[in-house]
Amino acid sequence: MMIYHTHSKEETRALGRALAQEFLPKTLVTFSGDLGAGKTTLIQGLLEALGARPPYPSPTFVLMNEYRLPSNTEKGIERVYHADAYRVGATDFERLGFLEWCEDSAGIVLLEWPERLAEILPPRRMDILIETLAENERKITVQQRD
Ligand code: ADP
Ligand code: MG
């Protein structure tokens, strides 16, 4: 388990860029934390470092944004699925293809609000928790499961 502290939005985004360097294909990464904690900010850094083309809109309403990575072939990551389960449940997400995204051998899944999918979450994943300690201070816990 790794714990980080950040003191600005930019620092959180930079942490996202650094964490992306360690990602391998077929990884599910979950993001927990209250509204305004910094989930989207961290994910923007990740998407940037993976080579996804901006803009990086929130998937809150569309449920999933898929990015194709033309240049990021060295590690074998070709697709990023950025999903948000806030408005739906496990049944809807299964129907959308959530488990197939997780099985994509050239894909990375970034999932906000994993609590909503507790029954179907694959046990092998990276969990990231963002906690607000002060207006500009965040504690970010990164934990590999299984
Ligand atoms: P979430 O997606 O979790 O709802 P966002 O990333 O959209 O959160 O928003 C985080 C908000 O908190 C932004 O308004 C940002 O400017 C502010 N903020 C303040 N300090 C930090 C920090 N250390 N890391 C990330 N965001 C921060
Ligand atoms: Mg968000």
Side-chain angles (χ1 to χ4, degrees):
M1 185 171 84
M2 294 293 290
I3 296 177
Y4 305 89
H5 283 83
T6 67
H7 304 84
S8 68
K9 182 176 180 151
E10 188 40 54
E11 211 183 314
T12 295
R13 195 165 166 141
L15 176 63
R17 288 196 295 268
L19 290 175
Q21 308 307 323
E22 295 166 30
F23 284 4
L24 295 173
K26 207 173 158 180
T27 300
L28 166 63
V29 190
T30 76
F31 300 83
S32 302
D34 296 334
L35 220 61
K39 301 180 293 296
T40 297
T41 302
L42 187 67
I43 287 171
Q44 286 170 344
L46 292 167
L47 287 170
E48 190 183 324
L50 288 169
R53 214 156 65 101
Y56 309 129
S58 167
T60 304
F61 293 98
V62 298
L63 307 183
M64 194 275 282
N65 287 316
E66 181 176 339
Y67 297 88
R68 308 248 160 188
L69 309 182
S71 58
N72 200 304
T73 47
E74 56 201 272
K75 280 205 294 184
I77 302 171
E78 296 169 14
R79 286 170 289 280
V80 182
Y81 306 90
H82 177 197
D84 185 332
Y86 185 68
R87 312 189 133 256
V88 292
T91 319
D92 299 302
F93 249 64
E94 271 188 302
R95 217 175 276 140
L96 279 172
F98 173 70
L99 296 172
E100 283 81 34
W101 309 336
C102 293
E103 287 301 311
D104 183 344
S105 59
I108 295 272
V109 180
L110 309 176
L111 174 67
E112 300 189 53
W113 297 99
E115 300 83 356
R116 299 270 197 253
L117 307 185
E119 315 98 274
I120 61 164
L121 268 197
R124 182 136 181 278
R125 59 181 195 263
M126 184 185 288
D127 286 335
I128 300 183
L129 171 65
I130 310 181
E131 294 167 280
T132 301
L133 301 187
E135 190 184 348
N136 294 309
E137 189 182 358
R138 303 292 185 270
K139 177 183 177 186
I140 302 176
T141 306
V142 180
Q143 203 162 6
Q144 184 68 48
R145 309 271 184 198
D146 252 38

